[in-house]
């Protein structure tokens, strides 16, 4: 009798333990599903990654088109996700440096395409974009923990997009110039002679300096952002 009781207690405890594990697995599955994990999303994420790598390697002259298209798709998805964040609304994250630089990058790319005037301004814009993309944005991709390759999560893929895509785009514009000009002869003018550092110690405003123009662009963002943080941002918490 005692043996049967022990066996029944063991069976009941074993069954209860298995059920608890199954319940936790089900909750985790539901959480993942709410985060976007599905066969369709995962497949789209993988295919998109292959598409980016393929176009970057095989057709660098058309990579800028893919950049604009992906920005128009991923950025609204990420913004919607940030607006729905709880307990704090995350829509103001778009004012952060990396986001603002991507908005400026899209604007700069369009400006390089449609505007044929002020070659000096174009050089400054190109140098500033190159410095920011291959400096802070690329560096942040290796440091920030939320910049990761998660195929099913479009929001996370967008975080990766705003840090990895700009350096890849600037690489094609800088080092695949011949292919781009051949494919788009009347669209771009990329024959810029640029230098990383200014030619003179005080010449930060030199139009061919990547470092100088990137610093200027940074402070053009930092000063208004700091003012907003002090006057408005700190009152939101």
């Amino acid at each position: 009798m005692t043996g049967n009781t022990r066996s029944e207690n063991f069976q009941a405890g074993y069954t209860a333990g298995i059920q608890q594990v199954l319940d936790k697995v089900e909750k985790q599955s539901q959480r993942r599903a709410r985060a976007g994990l599905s066969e369709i999303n995962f497949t789209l994420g993988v295919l998109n990654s292959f598409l980016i790598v393929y176009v970057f390697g095989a057709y660098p002259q058309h990579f800028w088109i893919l950049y604009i298209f992906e920005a128009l798709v991923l950025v609204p998805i990420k913004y919607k996700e940030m607006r729905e964040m709880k307990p704090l609304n995350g829509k103001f994250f778009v004012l952060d440096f990396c986001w603002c630089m991507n908005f400026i990058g899209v604007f700069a790319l369009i400006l390089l395409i449609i505007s044929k005037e002020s070659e000096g301004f174009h050089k400054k814009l190109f140098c500033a974009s190159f410095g920011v993309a291959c400096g802070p944005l690329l560096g942040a991709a290796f440091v920030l923990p939320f910049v990761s390759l998660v195929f099913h999560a479009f929001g996370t893929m967008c975080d990766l997009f705003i840090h990895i895509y700009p350096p890849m785009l600037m690489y094609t514009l800088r080092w695949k110039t011949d292919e781009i000009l051949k494919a788009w002869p009347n669209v771009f003018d990329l024959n810029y002679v640029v230098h990383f550092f200014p030619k003179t110690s005080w010449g930060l405003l030199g139009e061919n300096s990547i470092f100088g123009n990137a610093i200027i662009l940074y402070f053009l963002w930092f000063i208004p952002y700091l003012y907003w943080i002090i006057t408005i941002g700190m009152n939101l918490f």
Side-chain angles (χ1 to χ4, degrees), residues 22-81:
L22 292 176
D23 291 341
K24 290 183 178 180
V25 170
E26 180 63 24
K27 290 181 180 179
Q28 182 69 11
S29 175
Q30 294 175 358
R31 189 180 302 113
R32 295 288 187 182
R34 289 193 297 269
L37 179 58
S38 67
E39 294 84 352
I40 296 177
N41 289 347
F42 186 84
T43 302
L44 290 175
V46 173
L47 292 177
N48 183 55
S49 299
F50 277 114
L51 175 63
I52 293 172
V53 174
Y54 177 73
V55 174
F56 178 75
Y59 301 100
Q61 66 272 29
H62 306 310
F63 190 75
W64 64 274
I65 300 176
L66 185 62
Y67 171 77
I68 294 177
F69 176 77
E70 299 250 351
L72 295 176
V73 173
L74 291 177
V75 171
I77 293 176
K78 180 62 176 181
Y79 182 74
K80 180 178 180 296
E81 180 180 287

Side-chain angles (χ1 to χ4, degrees), residues 138-152:
L138 182 60
F142 295 98
V143 177
L144 298 178
F146 56 81
V147 181
S148 56
L149 187 63
V150 182
F151 296 116
H152 67 271

Side-chain angles (χ1 to χ4, degrees), residues 74-150:
L74 291 177
V75 171
I77 293 176
K78 180 62 176 181
Y79 182 74
K80 180 178 180 296
E81 180 180 287
M82 290 191 296
R83 287 196 60 181
E84 296 174 352
M85 289 175 60
K86 294 180 179 180
L88 295 176
N89 191 310
K91 63 183 179 181
F92 290 114
F93 285 145
V94 297
L95 300 178
D96 285 348
F97 179 76
C98 296
W99 279 100
C100 285
M101 292 305 104
N102 274 267
F103 295 142
I104 293 175
V106 173
F107 170 76
L109 182 60
I110 295 175
L111 190 63
L112 289 173
I113 294 173
I114 65 176
S115 176
K116 303 301 180 183
E117 300 179 358
S118 184
E119 181 179 352
F121 176 72
H122 283 185
K123 287 183 179 180
K124 291 179 181 292
L125 193 60
F126 179 85
C127 290
S129 300
F130 190 93
V132 168
C134 298
L137 296 185
L138 182 60
F142 295 98
V143 177
L144 298 178
F146 56 81
V147 181
S148 56
L149 187 63
V150 182

Side-chain angles (χ1 to χ4, degrees), residues 10-11 24 35 46 63 68 80 91-92 101 124 132 136 138 159 173 175-176 181 186 189 191-192 196 206 216 236:
F10 174 79
Q11 184 66 30
K24 290 183 178 180
V46 173
F63 190 75
I68 294 177
K80 180 178 180 296
K91 63 183 179 181
F92 290 114
M101 292 305 104
K124 291 179 181 292
V132 168
L138 182 60
D159 291 331
L173 294 178
W175 303 111
K176 300 297 180 180
L181 294 180
N186 299 319
D189 180 16
N191 291 318
Y192 304 139
F196 183 79
I216 293 172
L236 298 177

Side-chain angles (χ1 to χ4, degrees), residues 127 194-216:
C127 290
V194 298
H195 305 278
F196 183 79
F197 289 108
K199 291 184 178 180
T200 60
S201 58
W202 52 269
L204 287 179
L205 296 178
E207 65 180 19
N208 294 333
S209 166
I210 292 176
F211 178 81
N213 285 286
I215 290 294
I216 293 172

